[in-house]
Amino acid sequence: MKPAGPAEGGGMRRPIEGREVLRLTGAVAAGTSAELCAVALTATAAWLVARAGQHPPLSALALAIVGVRAFALFRGVLRYAERLVGHDAALRVLAGLRVRVYEALRRSADPAAGAPPRTPRDAEAVQRMVADVESVQDLLLRCLLPASVAWLTGLAAVAVAAVLLPAAGAVLAGGVVLSGVALPALAARAARSDARRAAGARADLAVCALDVRRGAADLAAFGATGRFAARAETAAARLARLERRAGAIEAAVAALGAALQGGTVLAVLWTARRSGADGVLVTVLTLTALAALDAVLPVAEAARRLSEVRPAAHRVLGLLRAGGRPRPHRAFVPAPDPRPSLELRGVRVAYARDGGGSVPALDGVDLRLPAGRKVAVVGASGAGKSTLLGVLTGEVRPEGAVLLGDAPLGAYDPRDVRATVRGLTQDAHVFNASIRANVTLARPGATDAEATDAACRAGLLDWIEALPGGWDTLVGDSRLSGGQRQRLLLARALLADPPVLVLDEPTEGLDLATADRLVTDLLTDRRTVVLVTHRLAPLAAADEIVVLDRGRVVQRGPHRDLAGVPGPYRDLWATESRPGTVPAIPRPRA
Ligand SMILES: Nc1ncnc2c1ncn2[C@@H]1O[C@H](COP(=O)(O)OP(=O)(O)OP(=O)(O)O)[C@@H](O)[C@H]1O
């Protein structure tokens, strides 16, 4: 049994590590100190002006003058320190979070480790998760940090005011609660429903814009550009309306905040005067209240942003919880033989339908693959061919039994399964890297001779050698023709050299002669091969051909038998043998 990787089986850690919590606390401390310096600066300056009006000796003002200078200086320095420490902590949290989220995504997408089959929306979900992680930065820097600083500053200002004049302290406390708690709650509530609607409108606009951009040529050819552009414009107008509304709410919250600040300042002034405090104290308390509310009012903006980023933060946390939950320790059976048999018994796969219910992609499929057997799978589009390969590789978990050697496929370490059954599946990817890196990805230790041999068998070598950059030429999905891409992926699959090779349409995009030569070569290989193909000409070399229709095996046997009996295979064979016809499996009538 192989040792588990560093992240495998790791328990759920806190979303933010202890050291980052310490850094963030430091940022809050620096931010609060900066805001307190600002409040103290206003209060001291107020005292200085009011006291100076009484014409005291200069020495009586000296300390306050020094205080004003010191508070102004420290305010700047501390604000800088807050930005520095806060951003440093947030970026560190983000860096750690990214690694853990990708790890959790990897685990949650590993079907062999218990993940559900992939859905077409998986890529969308991964993209959204990447954006979600970025929004955690906003959560820290624009929500939690400013809100903590504001509340602590408000609390300290209320305490100081209460010491100077308890009644004024009580009034200021009321103003702080209204501006720091009630107003933010209101702002968050208004923003929440707006954010939901705006997110929907933004997604609609993105889909429309993507359709117009990607399908520009088709739309122009069919004269439908105007209709699709109008759809995009409607979506854009709806988004603009929502954004204008959000702007109006933001302005209303700011106005309400200013009114609360003004009201609190006037109330403190009135209370201080009524309590008989001297003019200097009244001035100090009034301006302290003004500065304290200046510090507290940003909580409303933080709350508004919080309601925008909260769904994203929930999704990240949910993923970390699901992906980081300790997996029960599983004892795997030892790796299979170097040339194992593979068998499906009564295999059934049903995919969930969007509107509810499920649709069977495979229904009671049996398949025996003793070591070295060559099987071709044919059938109409949607018949279940790719799903069948997914079951063999462990990507799709079916009902029924899948035996690798003597043990169920699920009893093996997923890494052993991957090393034993693999090949070319429909979602294989060409990376933006050199041809060499793309081909040897399957076996990083492969020698040049082995890579050359795989490329030669895949019919790729002549093309590589004709390139000025040869094996070091940079490629990527968008820089290759369909045939080049397929051959490159096939070379990678051949170099992997697994005991059971599964190939989904390996000859797609190749000319017929090359495709037939390639399939014949694959079907005379020493290993087990399961091949999905639409081209029947070279299938005489296969031990068995399995014809699928709507998830069921409707015919099976060698080419010479199937081609001689009435049925979908003979129909297809007749069509393919007729010159100038496009092969296609006809569906038997239901
Ligand atoms: N992830 C999925 N979610 C929902 N339905 C799916 C999913 N994958 C496949 N299906 C459905 O299962 C059925 C079998 O699909 P599968 O891809 O196995 O067919 P196929 O024979 O390989 O088709 P093709 O030749 O077009 O690739 C189809 O009806 C398809 O729509």
Side-chain angles (χ1 to χ4, degrees):
M1 200 164 43
K2 292 184 178 81
E8 306 276 342
M12 166 70 186
R13 290 182 292 163
R14 279 179 301 166
I16 302 180
E17 298 294 331
R19 248 180 306 174
E20 268 69 64
V21 172
L22 219 63
R23 284 195 176 93
L24 285 169
T25 312
V28 170
T32 308
S33 309
E35 286 303 326
L36 285 177
C37 280
V39 176
L41 174 64
T42 307
T44 315
W47 183 87
L48 195 59
V49 173
R51 185 79 179 94
Q54 297 170 345
H55 306 295
L58 195 59
S59 59
L61 304 178
L63 192 63
I65 294 171
V66 173
V68 167
R69 284 192 181 157
F71 288 135
L73 189 73
F74 283 130
R75 185 185 56 172
V77 172
L78 287 165
R79 276 220 175 115
Y80 179 72
E82 179 212 352
R83 299 278 186 279
L84 199 68
V85 180
H87 279 79
D88 178 49
L91 291 177
R92 282 170 195 265
V93 168
L94 222 61
L97 211 56
R98 265 191 213 113
V99 173
R100 291 166 54 200
V101 162
Y102 291 140
E103 181 58 30
L105 275 173
R106 186 189 67 74
R107 280 197 224 172
S108 66
D110 187 352
R118 277 183 224 162
T119 73
R121 291 191 170 264
D122 278 359
E124 216 177 279
V126 169
Q127 267 175 9
R128 196 181 57 187
M129 191 51 73
V130 170
D132 285 351
V133 173
E134 300 304 315
S135 65
V136 170
Q137 182 174 342
D138 270 9
L139 175 72
L140 295 175
L141 291 179
R142 300 202 183 176
C143 304
L144 300 185
L145 204 87
S148 311
V149 166
W151 281 325
L152 287 173
T153 309
L155 213 65
V158 167
V160 172
V163 168
L164 296 175
L165 187 70
V171 173
L172 181 58
V176 166
V177 169
L178 283 176
S179 332
V181 180
L183 184 65
L186 201 71
R189 207 188 141 105
R192 223 175 0 251
S193 66
D194 258 13
R196 242 194 326 267
R197 274 183 288 176
R202 222 166 271 131
D204 285 350
L205 178 59
V207 168
C208 290
L210 218 62
D211 272 352
V212 171
R213 201 177 86 82
R214 291 211 179 133
D218 284 341
L219 291 177
F222 297 118
T225 308
R227 220 171 338 123
F228 273 71
R231 245 178 60 191
E233 273 164 25
T234 310
R238 182 166 162 247
L239 180 60
R241 236 184 356 262
L242 285 167
E243 281 178 345
R244 268 199 306 276
R245 204 181 108 93
I249 290 177
E250 210 178 316
V253 167
L256 206 57
L260 276 174
Q261 186 179 28
T264 308
V265 168
L266 287 177
V268 168
L269 172 67
W270 185 76
T271 309
R273 289 189 63 145
R274 268 198 57 151
S275 325
D278 72 12
V280 176
L281 184 58
V282 171
T283 312
V284 168
L285 283 170
T286 307
L287 289 177
T288 300
L290 185 74
L293 287 171
D294 256 350
V296 171
L297 281 174
V299 182
E301 171 59 15
R304 201 186 61 77
R305 288 218 53 103
L306 180 66
S307 48
E308 281 173 11
V309 299
R310 206 168 61 164
H314 271 299
R315 283 192 293 268
V316 171
L317 273 181
L319 179 76
L320 288 182
R321 269 193 211 112
R325 202 170 288 143
R327 293 192 186 288
H329 179 73
R330 283 185 59 194
F332 297 115
V333 297
D337 289 346
R339 284 172 57 78
S341 63
L342 195 55
E343 188 174 352
L344 308 188
R345 288 189 201 152
V347 157
R348 187 171 188 281
V349 173
Y351 292 110
R353 243 198 275 250
D354 267 355
S358 63
V359 51
L362 288 180
D363 199 358
V365 172
D366 297 322
L367 184 66
R368 283 201 62 243
L369 293 167
R373 192 165 176 85
K374 314 288 180 291
V375 172
V377 183
V378 298
S381 176
K385 304 177 298 291
S386 301
T387 305
L388 179 66
L389 294 197
V391 170
L392 293 173
T393 54
E395 285 252 328
V396 176
R397 285 187 311 147
E399 292 168 36
V402 185
L403 296 172
L404 179 60
D406 297 328
L409 194 76
Y412 291 94
D413 184 330
R415 286 168 289 189
D416 288 335
V417 175
R418 277 197 286 268
T420 308
V421 190
R422 64 207 276 203
L424 170 53
T425 50
Q426 277 195 343
D427 53 4
H429 183 71
V430 176
F431 294 88
N432 283 301
S434 67
I435 296 176
R436 185 191 313 281
N438 266 291
V439 172
T440 57
L441 181 79
R443 247 173 77 201
T447 61
D448 282 355
E450 287 167 330
T452 306
D453 180 50
C456 181
R457 288 191 65 194
L460 188 71
L461 194 60
D462 290 347
W463 172 68
I464 297 177
E465 286 179 348
L467 289 169
W471 281 88
D472 296 319
T473 307
L474 277 185
V475 290
D477 257 337
S478 57
R479 294 183 221 180
L480 297 174
S481 74
Q484 288 159 350
R485 176 181 183 280
Q486 202 66 0
R487 271 181 276 207
L488 188 144
L489 293 170
L490 183 62
R492 182 196 291 169
L494 292 173
L495 185 64
D497 198 23
V500 180
L501 182 65
V502 293
L503 299 162
D504 202 345
E505 304 279 6
T507 56
E508 215 178 21
L510 306 190
D511 63 88
L512 290 185
T514 312
D516 289 352
R517 210 170 33 246
L518 194 74
V519 170
T520 308
D521 176 40
L522 290 168
L523 292 178
T524 48
D525 203 290
R526 67 194 152 73
R527 73 190 111 209
T528 309
V529 176
V530 183
L531 171 82
V532 167
T533 181
H534 280 109
R535 174 94 181 136
L536 309 187
L539 296 192
D543 297 314
E544 183 182 30
I545 296 160
V546 173
V547 185
L548 282 180
D549 181 59
R550 279 168 267 192
R552 289 182 162 274
V553 177
V554 289
Q555 274 192 301
R556 68 194 317 156
H559 173 79
R560 61 177 177 281
D561 292 355
L562 296 185
V565 294
Y569 188 84
R570 196 174 71 173
D571 294 345
L572 177 63
W573 178 237
T575 313
E576 186 178 302
S577 314
R578 223 176 295 137
T581 51
V582 180
I585 289 237
R587 267 186 187 284
R589 287 181 208 288

